[in-house]
């Protein structure tokens, strides 16, 4: 504690003499909040969301003791300046800056050649019937499984949030079974399949309860 | 095969067997399997396992609780068994705090703790199958991952 007090006094003096001019990297909280916890300088973290190699963009949620911040646009960055505050609002970071800070880490990234492939098959509302477009994807799914032999195939069922959670758990299980049965009928050995289901608990698109969301009525097939 | 030859063979095999077990135990006590392998590296890079520092090499296995570290101009890229790709830039330290990938038992967990430096993360099957079981932590923040690719820098004060 004593050390902190000395530290704070030094900070206060610096603040008085230097003012706020060139000391941008020293975080000086407003006077009323100067207690050791808030004034504690944190490790400054910088987090940047990048597009996946296939061009899709996921989501990351950065949580500190002070709150959360969601990044969902490629090249957007957030900075943690204080443990007790949420990280900064997402802002785009230039490609040159990303390369200059993260170039070495990115070039050490292992090669991607044989990484898993995933498909999202959608269903009509409250049924185990694939949508018209998703039916058209099936040959591609089967071809991918054959080309990767011996492959592992993960089949995972989901629903949207319309209806009771218990009912949706069963519906997601039936959807997963429908896809499993189809794959087995095309000659995929059942020992290669890992089937699971999550009802409405793992939406692809977040919604409130009882909201119909076609993108969440799905079975994800991951082939590796 | 005559008697002396076969007994020599037996002794040789027994020695290999015992050595293999003893080394296996000391290198990694307990039966937990490797969770990943080093696939790329350059410059100074090492793994701290149970208090011992081992210099990293391509093909080397990674276990839960290993600490991965790189020196000045060092870098290291690791592939985990669920195809999560993790790479570190220079002067970085990261702990493989938890890792479980047992899809047939429905058990998944990946928790990486970054203490210093820069890292790139591309999520694998764990965050695809159960997003809530994938976490990347820094000393001041926790990053929840919904199937994606990101980079992190942690500055040490």
């Amino acid at each position: 504690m004593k050390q902190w007090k000395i530290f704070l006094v030094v900070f206060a003096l610096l603040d008085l003499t230097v003012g706020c001019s060139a000391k941008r990297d020293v975080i000086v909280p407003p006077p009323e909040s100067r207690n050791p916890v808030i004034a504690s300088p944190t490790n400054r973290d910088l987090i940047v969301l990048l597009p996946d190699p296939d061009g899709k963009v996921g989501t990351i949620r950065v949580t500190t003791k002070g709150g959360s911040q969601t990044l969902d646009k490629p090249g957007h960055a957030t900075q943690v300046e204080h443990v007790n505050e949420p990280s900064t609002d997402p802002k785009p970071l230039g490609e040159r800056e990303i390369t200059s800070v993260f170039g070495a880490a990115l070039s050490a990234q292992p090669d991607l050649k044989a990484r898993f492939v995933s498909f999202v098959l959608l269903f009509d509302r409250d049924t185990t019937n694939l949508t018209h477009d998703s039916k058209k994807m099936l040959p591609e799914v089967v071809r991918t499984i054959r080309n990767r032999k011996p492959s592992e195939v993960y089949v995972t069922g989901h629903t949207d949030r319309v209806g009771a959670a218990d009912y949706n758990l069963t519906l997601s299980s039936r959807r997963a079974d429908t896809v499993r049965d189809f794959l087995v009928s095309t000659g995929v050995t059942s020992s290669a399949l890992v089937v699971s289901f999550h009802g409405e608990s793992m939406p692809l698109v977040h919604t409130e309860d009882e909201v119909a969301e076609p993108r969440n009525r799905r079975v994800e097939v991951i082939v590796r | 095969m005559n008697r002396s030859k076969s007994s020599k063979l037996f002794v040789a095999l027994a020695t290999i067997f015992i050595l293999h077990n003893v080394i296996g135990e000391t290198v990694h006590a307990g039966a937990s399997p490797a969770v990943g392998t080093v696939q790329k590296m350059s410059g100074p890079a090492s793994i701290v396992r149970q208090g011992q520092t081992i210099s990293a090499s391509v093909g080397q296995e990674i276990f839960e609780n290993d600490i991965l570290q790189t020196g000045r101009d060092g870098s290291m890229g690791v592939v985990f068994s669920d195809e999560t790709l993790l790479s570190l830039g220079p002067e970085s330290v990261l702990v493989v705090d938890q890792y479980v990938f047992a899809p047939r038992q429905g058990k998944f967990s990946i928790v990486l703790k970054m203490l210093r430096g820069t890292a790139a993360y591309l999520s694998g099957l764990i965050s695809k199958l159960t997003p809530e079981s994938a976490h990347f932590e820094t000393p001041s923040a926790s990053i929840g991952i919904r199937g994606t690719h990101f980079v992190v820098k942690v500055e040490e004060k």
Side-chain angles (χ1 to χ4, degrees):
Chain A
M1 267 310 113
K2 242 188 177 163
Q3 272 181 322
W4 276 116
K5 281 185 187 152
I6 296 166
F7 198 43
L8 286 178
V9 170
V10 173
F11 252 152
L13 285 175
L14 261 181
D15 202 22
L16 284 175
T17 51
V18 183
C20 299
S21 59
K23 280 275 165 195
R24 296 221 74 194
D25 54 339
V26 177
I27 301 159
V28 182
E32 66 272 20
S33 66
R34 253 179 219 171
N35 64 58
V37 181
I38 303 246
S40 107
T42 69
N43 293 357
R44 267 211 188 171
D45 304 345
L46 173 67
I47 298 132
V48 192
L49 180 66
L50 300 177
D52 291 1
D54 62 6
K56 285 182 207 150
V57 179
T59 307
I60 54 179
R61 197 167 170 78
V62 178
T63 306
T64 63
K65 281 182 201 150
S68 291
Q69 199 69 263
T70 300
L71 294 182
D72 55 11
K73 291 184 185 65
H76 274 215
T78 183
Q79 205 162 356
V80 181
E81 287 174 348
H82 270 275
V83 185
N84 296 316
E85 287 167 18
S87 59
T88 58
D89 289 338
K91 262 190 287 215
L93 194 67
E95 210 165 299
R96 275 174 63 184
E97 223 171 328
I98 294 175
T99 313
S100 85
V101 180
F102 298 105
L106 284 167
S107 57
Q109 195 159 57
D111 299 324
L112 300 168
K113 270 174 259 157
R115 254 171 81 84
F116 62 83
V117 184
S118 68
F119 300 91
V120 178
L121 302 171
L122 302 180
F123 289 78
D124 290 331
R125 186 172 178 164
D126 197 15
T127 70
T128 57
N129 305 328
L130 285 165
T131 62
H132 183 67
D133 286 346
S134 291
K135 267 185 204 149
K136 288 196 285 192
M137 285 168 66
L138 292 174
E140 173 66 18
V141 176
V142 174
R143 206 174 314 130
T144 307
I145 296 172
R146 289 203 179 126
N147 289 344
R148 289 194 167 225
K149 237 173 172 178
S151 49
E152 274 169 51
V153 183
Y154 298 87
V155 175
T156 313
H158 303 272
T159 68
D160 66 14
R161 300 190 65 189
V162 176
D166 288 358
Y167 177 84
N168 283 335
L169 197 61
T170 312
L171 178 59
S172 67
S173 163
R174 286 164 51 219
R175 283 175 176 166
D177 288 347
T178 303
V179 173
R180 179 199 58 202
D181 293 347
F182 165 77
L183 292 175
V184 169
S185 78
T186 67
V188 178
T189 49
S190 52
S191 63
L193 291 161
V194 181
V195 180
S196 58
F197 50 90
H198 298 287
E200 60 177 55
S201 66
M202 280 190 206
L204 202 59
V205 181
H206 179 79
T207 70
E208 294 303 311
D209 201 10
E210 297 303 325
V211 172
E213 175 48 71
R215 288 169 291 178
N216 289 339
R217 297 173 203 139
R218 70 201 195 277
V219 165
E220 294 190 31
V221 181
I222 301 173
V223 186
R224 80 143 168 184
Chain B
M1 203 185 279
N2 64 36
R3 229 190 123 102
S4 81
K5 255 192 187 164
S6 70
S7 68
K8 267 185 196 160
L9 184 66
F10 175 76
V11 170
L13 284 175
T15 313
I16 291 171
F17 182 76
I18 291 163
L19 274 179
H20 182 259
N21 278 331
V22 169
I23 292 169
E25 288 298 309
T26 44
V27 167
H28 193 254
S32 41
V35 302
T37 30
V38 176
Q39 213 222 37
K40 268 191 183 177
M41 60 158 290
S42 71
S46 55
I47 297 162
V48 181
R49 184 172 301 152
Q50 295 171 343
Q52 284 186 306
T53 305
I54 312 155
S55 68
S57 56
V58 170
Q60 196 169 356
E61 291 182 321
I62 302 290
F63 295 87
E64 199 176 25
N65 296 320
D66 279 0
I67 302 168
L68 314 180
Q69 57 185 28
T70 56
R72 219 179 140 210
D73 301 324
S75 69
M76 169 160 40
V78 171
V79 183
F80 286 92
S81 61
D82 75 319
E83 298 184 14
T84 295
L85 306 184
L86 169 79
S87 50
L88 300 180
E91 294 183 280
S92 303
V93 181
L94 178 139
V95 185
V96 181
D97 197 53
Q98 276 181 39
Y99 187 93
V100 181
F101 180 58
R104 284 174 201 277
Q105 285 86 57
K107 287 185 185 155
F108 306 95
S109 171
I110 179 166
V111 179
L112 304 176
K113 289 193 173 168
M114 179 101 193
L115 303 182
R116 175 159 59 111
T118 53
Y121 178 102
L122 181 58
S123 53
L125 291 170
I126 294 176
S127 44
K128 264 293 198 200
L129 293 167
T130 54
E132 74 280 3
S133 39
H135 286 279
F136 192 104
E137 292 174 1
T138 74
S140 32
S142 170
I143 304 169
I145 304 152
R146 293 271 181 273
T148 195
H149 190 193
F150 63 88
V151 284
V152 183
K153 181 183 74 167
V154 174
E155 240 169 57
E156 206 176 34
K157 275 274 178 179

